[in-house]
């Protein structure tokens, strides 16, 4: 089955710790995205990548970092510099960025900072 | 500023009712997407459209480019349609980034 997986589904972190959220896709998509969702707000773009070894900041990149060493994988690290990290994080992918194409979403990771 | 506005914010319907959710945006777009988010959080893409109308089962999406407005209709609504429906637009450019509305929470009562 093709799709996007995110792990873990729920994640708890102590203040001051870095944590990495996993996102893997087997759809052979070039573009991958990370979004953050907060209650009462629309999804906001954190980072995106159009090709391996390249990524760009989105609207709210501060306190986050990413890597794209493989086409299938786009992990997101929430660093201790992120002031309000508790949120629902969604990863997505599409076959070609900048072209009219559907984005496919993973199931999400809910991060809670204790 | 590019904005996406949805209405209503919350909607409660009886099973079988015809439902309309609206989306307005502020500047010209390449494409508009309708997404469905279930209580567990996962998001499914329902439609992507840049003009006219699309239909899939009981769901119909329309877009009026001149008025910068789109509607999502659900015919013969069912409790399993209960979800948050999200409108998102692609303003073009090389990134393919989407700008999202805040969503419409739909609850269909049996």
């Amino acid at each position: 089955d093709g799709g996007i997986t995110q792990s873990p589904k729920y994640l708890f972190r102590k203040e001051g710790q870095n944590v990495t959220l996993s996102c893997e896709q087997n759809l052979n998509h070039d573009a991958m995205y990370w979004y953050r969702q907060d209650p009462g707000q629309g999804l906001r773009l954190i980072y995106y990548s159009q090709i391996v070894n390249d990524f760009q900041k989105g609207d709210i990149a501060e306190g986050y970092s990413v890597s794209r060493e493989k086409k299938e994988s786009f992990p997101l690290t929430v660093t201790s510099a992120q002031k309000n990290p508790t949120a629902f994080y969604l990863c997505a992918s599409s076959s070609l960025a900048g072209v009219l194409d559907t984005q496919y979403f993973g199931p999400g990771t809910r991060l809670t900072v204790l | 500023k590019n904005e996406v506005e949805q209405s209503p914010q919350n909607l409660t319907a009886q099973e079988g009712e015809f439902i309309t959710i609206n989306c307005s945006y502020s500047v010209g777009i390449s494409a508009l997407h309708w997404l469905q988010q279930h209580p567990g959080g996962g998001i499914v893409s329902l439609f992507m459209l840049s003009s006219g109308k699309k239909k899939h089962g009981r769901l119909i999406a329309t877009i009026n480019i001149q008025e910068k407005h789109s509607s999502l209709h659900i015919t013969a609504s069912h409790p399993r349609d209960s979800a948050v429906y999200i409108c998102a637009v692609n303003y073009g450019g090389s990134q393919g980034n989407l700008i999202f509305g805040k969503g419409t929470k739909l609850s269909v009562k049996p």
Side-chain angles (χ1 to χ4, degrees), chain B:
Chain B
K1 182 181 175 182
N2 300 332
E3 290 187 343
V4 179
E5 299 288 338
Q6 286 187 238
S7 63
Q9 193 173 352
N10 293 283
L11 181 56
T12 299
Q14 285 298 126
E15 184 173 356
E17 285 184 1
F18 180 83
I19 288 162
T20 296
I21 298 170
N22 298 298
C23 176
S24 299
Y25 49 92
S26 54
V27 297
I29 63 170
S30 311
L32 183 142
H33 302 250
W34 281 103
L35 310 166
Q36 180 190 56
Q37 185 172 32
H38 278 280
I43 292 178
V44 174
S45 180
L46 298 175
F47 295 103
M48 181 181 69
L49 63 165
S50 53
S51 65
K53 175 179 171 178
K54 286 191 175 181
K55 184 176 189 291
H56 185 258
R58 294 180 295 105
L59 303 177
I60 303 166
T62 63
I63 188 168
N64 185 317
I65 299 294
Q66 287 74 28
E67 294 186 3
K68 298 185 176 59
H69 180 268
S70 175
S71 293
L72 176 69
H73 305 286
I74 304 176
T75 62
S77 60
H78 190 276
R80 65 174 174 266
D81 297 325
S82 298
V84 176
Y85 292 84
I86 300 171
C87 172
V89 299
N90 183 327
Y91 286 106
S94 61
Q95 304 91 339
N97 300 348
L98 295 176
I99 307 297
F100 294 81
K102 294 180 180 179
T104 294
K105 185 174 182 180
L106 171 65
S107 178
V108 182
K109 306 293 185 189

Side-chain angles (χ1 to χ4, degrees), chain A residues 9 33 35 37 40-43 45 48 50 59 88 90 97-103 105-107, chain B residues 30-31 33 35 37 40-43 45 48 50 86 90 93-102:
Chain A
K9 189 172 177 64
Y33 309 83
Y35 296 99
Q37 186 177 39
Q41 293 195 40
L43 277 71
L45 181 68
Y48 64 97
Q50 297 174 283
D59 299 321
F88 187 58
L90 285 153
V99 179
L100 299 183
D101 195 38
T102 299
Q103 288 191 18
F105 288 82
Chain B
S30 311
H33 302 250
L35 310 166
Q37 185 172 32
I43 292 178
S45 180
M48 181 181 69
S50 53
I86 300 171
N90 183 327
S94 61
Q95 304 91 339
N97 300 348
L98 295 176
I99 307 297
F100 294 81
K102 294 180 180 179

Side-chain angles (χ1 to χ4, degrees), chain A:
Chain A
D1 282 332
I4 302 180
T5 56
Q6 290 184 243
S7 62
K9 189 172 177 64
Y10 298 96
L11 187 57
F12 297 89
R13 185 194 97 175
K14 291 183 181 178
E15 253 186 82
Q17 287 182 336
N18 292 357
V19 64
T20 297
L21 282 58
S22 167
C23 177
E24 304 276 332
Q25 54 97 0
N26 61 3
L27 299 166
N28 200 33
H29 284 169
D30 290 302
M32 296 187 75
Y33 309 83
W34 273 105
Y35 296 99
R36 170 182 170 139
Q37 186 177 39
D38 294 283
Q41 293 195 40
L43 277 71
R44 292 180 291 169
L45 181 68
I46 304 172
Y47 268 98
Y48 64 97
S49 168
Q50 297 174 283
I51 196 169
V52 174
N53 292 323
D54 186 56
F55 47 83
Q56 306 296 328
K57 291 182 179 180
D59 299 321
I60 54 165
E62 186 176 349
Y64 299 98
S65 66
V66 293
S67 62
R68 187 90 186 272
E69 297 176 3
K70 298 185 299 181
K71 188 175 185 178
E72 304 80 24
S73 179
F74 191 40
L76 173 74
T77 296
V78 185
T79 75
S80 56
Q82 169 49 235
K83 291 182 171 48
N84 186 20
T86 295
F88 187 58
Y89 291 87
L90 285 153
C91 179
S93 70
S94 63
S95 61
L96 288 170
V99 179
L100 299 183
D101 195 38
T102 299
Q103 288 191 18
Y104 294 83
F105 288 82
T109 292
R110 192 167 298 278
L111 173 64
T112 302
V113 174
L114 303 172

